[in-house]
Structure formats: structure tokens, C-alpha cells
Amino acid sequence: MSRATAIAYAVALPISLLLLVFLPVGDIGWMPGWIFVAALAIGFAASGLALAKVNPVIFRARSRFQPGTERWDLPLVAVILTAMVATIPVASFDAGRAHWSHVPLWLVVIGYAALFGGIAGTAWAQAVNPFFEPGVRIQSERHQRVIDTGPYRFVRHPGYSAAVAMFLGMPLALASWWGLLPAAIASILLVIRTAWEDRLLQGRLPGYREYAGRVRARLVPGIW
């Protein structure tokens, strides 16, 4: 990533997040929104610093979709990301302006736990897996191999498990039931993506079928 692109991301992402949180509310002083923004900033900053130390190559791998990405994956990711992004303004509008939901404090705390757990889980998966790209493909030119260390000892797709935790944690952290609707759509589509990617890997990545025989669970240890 060029310096100009990095600067653009550094400026655009925080501004976009602030707009997603506060524009639907119509009040820049909405304190739950600032707590949410601060939590995301702290969580992702800590994740980025940790990855910069243990697996800096992941930033290049994650920078863009690579040639050879499965054709079905791009539209699927587009819908998943749209639903994920929609979670924030829907939840903010609900909790900060419309006040449709009444979420107890203990569930808000669980939401933040899921959010931080998802960020940490994603970072752990990226730390041990240099092939953690945004698109689904077989990375032959990078001599892709099966990763069975770290969280991959427990589930075959820990990055997706962590993403679902983040999807569902965000609306709860913002104290919104309605925000769970787009979060659920994103989660369901991610589960579908998990199944399709797993089928691809079992058919085309050497050693993956044997790995799947050892690690049975795709997303939830001991369950599924």
C-alpha cells in the first residue's frame, strides 16, 4: 500500500465511522456512540500493533482482492459488507433517536465482550495464517499450505467465527435489537461462505481433507 493510500485510509475510515454512528442519531454528543467508537479504535489499534510485530506480511495479503478469487465470492462479500456496515446506523438510529429497543446493561456488556473477543480472535487467526486474504481462492503462487496452529487447532475457520461475534456484538453494544437484523443477515451469509470455501479447500488444497478429518468443527468447537 502506498503512503498516499495509507493516509487516505487513515482519514476516511474514522470519518466514515463517525458518520455511521452519529448521523442517524443527529447528536454528536451521544455518549454511547463515543464509547462505541472508542472501543473500536482501541480494539483495532491494539490488533494492528500486534500483527505488525508478529505477522506484518498480513497487511499486504489483506490489502486487496487478488487475481484468481472465486467468481461467486466477490458479490457475496459485497452483500456481507453492506449488511455489516448497515448494522451500525440501524443500531444507532434505534438506540439514539427512535428508542425502539430496551436492551439491559448486562447484554450491552456481553455485546462489548463479543466485539472485543471477535477483534482478538481475528487477530489471532491472522497472526498464525499468512494466507489470510479477503477473497476466497487457492493461493498456488504463494505455495499455500494447511494452517493447523493457533485457533485453527479448534475450528477450521476461526476468522469467520470471530467475524460473527463482531457482527452480533456491535448492535448489542449499541443497545439495539433492530441492529441485530442486518447483523444476522451478514452472519448467515458468512456461514454460507464458510461452507463454500470449505468445499473448495477440501477439493483443491493438498492436506486440507485430512485436516478436516482431525478438526471437525468449522465455526464452533465441538458443535459445528
Side-chain angles (χ1 to χ4, degrees), residues 140-182:
S140 303
E141 82 288 355
R142 299 183 64 207
H143 307 291
Q144 183 179 2
R145 65 185 186 281
V146 173
I147 303 298
D148 57 3
T149 59
Y152 293 90
R153 293 174 295 172
F154 311 110
V155 292
R156 302 202 296 272
H157 300 275
Y160 293 164
S161 303
V164 170
M166 284 191 287
F167 292 169
L168 300 178
M170 286 193 297
L172 290 179
L174 287 167
S176 170
W177 294 122
W178 283 97
L180 286 170
L181 180 58

Side-chain angles (χ1 to χ4, degrees), residues 65-131:
F65 286 89
Q66 304 293 336
T69 298
E70 295 295 308
R71 293 181 62 183
W72 52 260
D73 193 43
L74 295 176
L76 186 60
V77 169
V79 178
I80 291 172
L81 290 178
T82 300
M84 180 198 72
V85 171
T87 298
I88 297 175
V90 170
S92 296
F93 180 80
D94 174 16
R97 175 174 285 189
H99 305 294
W100 293 323
S101 298
H102 300 282
V103 179
L105 179 60
W106 64 270
L107 267 179
V108 174
V109 173
I110 287 177
Y112 274 107
L115 183 59
F116 282 120
I119 294 172
T122 301
W124 190 16
Q126 292 180 357
V128 302
N129 185 0
F131 308 106

Side-chain angles (χ1 to χ4, degrees), residues 3-74:
R3 177 174 295 184
T5 303
I7 293 173
Y9 272 108
V11 173
L13 289 179
I15 292 176
S16 299
L17 177 59
L18 292 174
L19 291 174
L20 288 170
V21 172
F22 294 106
L23 194 60
V25 179
D27 180 9
I28 194 67
W30 185 50
M31 188 53 63
W34 283 111
I35 295 172
F36 179 76
V37 169
L40 285 183
I42 292 170
F44 282 111
S47 168
L49 290 173
L51 287 172
K53 287 188 175 182
V54 301
N55 189 18
V57 72
I58 198 66
F59 295 109
R60 181 182 295 273
R62 297 283 296 169
S63 64
R64 64 185 179 89
F65 286 89
Q66 304 293 336
T69 298
E70 295 295 308
R71 293 181 62 183
W72 52 260
D73 193 43
L74 295 176

Side-chain angles (χ1 to χ4, degrees), residues 65-71 133 135-139 141 200 204:
F65 286 89
Q66 304 293 336
T69 298
E70 295 295 308
R71 293 181 62 183
E133 289 190 355
V136 173
R137 70 186 185 101
I138 299 298
Q139 302 171 38
E141 82 288 355
L200 173 73
R204 294 177 54 190

